[in-house]
Each structure stands twice: as structure tokens, then as C-alpha cells.
Amino acid sequence: MSSVAETSGNVGGTGEARMRGRIALPGILLGVGLGGFVDGILLHQILQWHHMLSSSGSANIDIGDYPVTTVHGLEMNTLWDGVFHTITWLAVLAGLGILYSRVTHSRGRLWASRVLWGWILVGWGVFNVVEGVIDHHILGIHHVISGEYQGAADIAFLVLGAVLILVGWLVQRSGRSLDSADRPERASGR
């Protein structure tokens, strides 16, 4: 028996497109969380280009001044980096939970990994754009890197986000469903 999503025709898109859309939310959440981890681990910890409040002294909102060159400033930045990492970790957990739920309820329908990876790239791009616009431009609490090339680096971060969204969209569109009958049987017979 065909599901409603598979027989809906052009109402709300094709059945294939509607099924592909079921993997969008968990993929985007995974991308937001994983993109946040790349930002936090690479830019905050390894390269130490910035922390969450490293530009607080010149921010567009008054939250106090927490320079990373003082013990108190570094403590506050480390605390807010931890809050940031907690939020990105929760996004990954939510994405995994929703993905598991949707895959287990798909009644044997599987998707090529391109669909999921495409949505993950979209999520990473959404993270870059939202975080870049809010933290770098509106609030000004930190920038990709401070100094002479601060504006260019902040714009490059947004451009990277837009490119990730576009590439991710194209990648997920190129994926296809793999029906149970099309999958090769495993040696164990499952």
C-alpha cells in the first residue's frame, strides 16, 4: 500500500520531494551543531582568533568589557564559550534523535547519504549566516578575527555560509531514495 506522501502527486510537491523533506530538519540541526563545533573548536580553541565575548568592549550592546588578556575576561569568555558549545551539542543530540525517529518510522525507505549530507551542509551554512549576522554584525560581541581585516573576515564568514547553503541544497537535491528491494542483502541475511 502506498503512503499518502508517495501518492500525493503535485500537492505540496512530489512524493519523492516530500520524503526527502522528512530528513531536512534532522540534517539541518546536525549541520547547525556540527558547524558550531567547527567554529568553537577551530576558531575559539585551536586558532584562538576569538571567544564569545572577545569584542565586548566595543560591542553594539553594553555587556561589560571582558578582554581575553585578563584572567577575569578569559574566565567570562570561557564560560560563554561553554554555553555556546552546550547549545551546539544539544542541536546535535536533537538532530540525532529526530533522525533516528524518522528513519525508524520510514517503513524500510532509505535515502542515499547525499540527502543527509546535503542537509547537514545547509545547516552549517545557516549556522554561519545566523551567527555571523547576530554576533558579528548586530551585537558585535566578537568577530572572526579582530584587527585590520575584521570586516573582510566577517563578510567571508557570511559568504562561506551562503556557499554552504547553496552547495548543500544542490547535494541533497541530487540524492535519491533507495527502496528496500534495491538494497543488496547483507551476508548475514538481514
Side-chain angles (χ1 to χ4, degrees), residues 19-183:
M19 292 301 287
R20 181 184 290 116
R22 291 189 45 76
I23 217 79
L25 178 60
I28 290 171
L29 285 171
L30 285 167
V32 165
L34 294 171
F37 282 150
V38 169
D39 181 292
I41 294 167
L42 182 64
L43 301 181
H44 294 215
Q45 295 173 334
I46 295 173
L47 296 175
Q48 297 180 18
W49 283 359
H50 69 262
H51 295 280
M52 284 306 296
L53 305 178
S54 57
S55 295
S56 58
S58 61
N60 297 328
I61 60 170
D62 185 16
I63 57 172
D65 188 7
Y66 304 106
V68 296
T69 55
T70 67
V71 172
H72 177 68
L74 194 53
E75 288 173 342
M76 286 301 290
N77 275 284
T78 302
L79 170 69
W80 283 100
D81 284 351
V83 170
F84 169 74
H85 280 113
T86 300
I87 292 167
T88 59
W89 179 68
L90 290 172
V92 169
L93 284 180
L96 286 173
I98 295 169
L99 178 64
Y100 177 79
S101 173
R102 296 208 173 155
V103 167
T104 58
H105 290 94
S106 68
R107 298 187 179 169
R109 180 158 231 170
L110 297 178
W111 290 92
S113 62
R114 295 180 67 83
V115 176
L116 179 60
W117 283 110
W119 285 121
I120 288 172
L121 289 174
V122 168
W124 184 359
V126 166
F127 165 81
N128 276 22
V129 169
V130 170
E131 196 268 341
V133 167
I134 293 173
D135 290 343
H136 305 170
H137 295 280
I138 294 173
L139 300 178
I141 58 174
H142 72 255
H143 301 279
V144 174
I145 191 164
S146 295
E148 183 180 354
Y149 301 105
Q150 174 177 304
D154 287 348
I155 295 298
F157 191 79
L158 294 175
V159 169
L160 174 62
V163 168
L164 287 167
I165 291 169
L166 176 63
V167 169
W169 177 258
L170 294 172
V171 167
Q172 70 83 24
R173 295 288 297 159
S174 70
R176 60 182 178 83
S177 67
L178 304 171
D179 290 349
S180 299
D182 295 341
R183 287 182 287 160

